[in-house]
Amino acid sequence: MELTKDKLFFCYDFSLQRKLKAKGIRFICTAISNDQRRFWLYFRTPAVNKVIKQHINQR
């Protein structure tokens, strides 16, 4: 399997990260970006996409 950016999701939103965690979706890793912002890295799965869409629609 080739890993490309379209198969990964970099989450910089604490609220969205909490929603992903609440759904039992585990992140690959967490880190601090070059501009000192924490992010969580996820595989972009249908479950992740569903939570992202719900999050966007609730704004």
Side-chain angles (χ1 to χ4, degrees), residues 11-49:
C11 179
Y12 287 88
D13 184 324
F14 282 87
S15 175
L16 176 54
Q17 188 276 332
R18 285 191 296 270
K19 290 176 184 178
L20 290 163
K21 182 178 180 179
K23 294 289 185 181
I25 301 170
R26 298 180 58 141
F27 57 85
I28 301 167
C29 69
T30 186
I32 305 291
S33 68
N34 291 338
D35 60 346
Q36 303 303 308
R37 293 179 60 206
R38 175 161 305 278
F39 69 89
W40 295 264
L41 180 62
Y42 292 89
F43 286 114
R44 191 176 277 277
T45 64
V48 169
N49 289 336

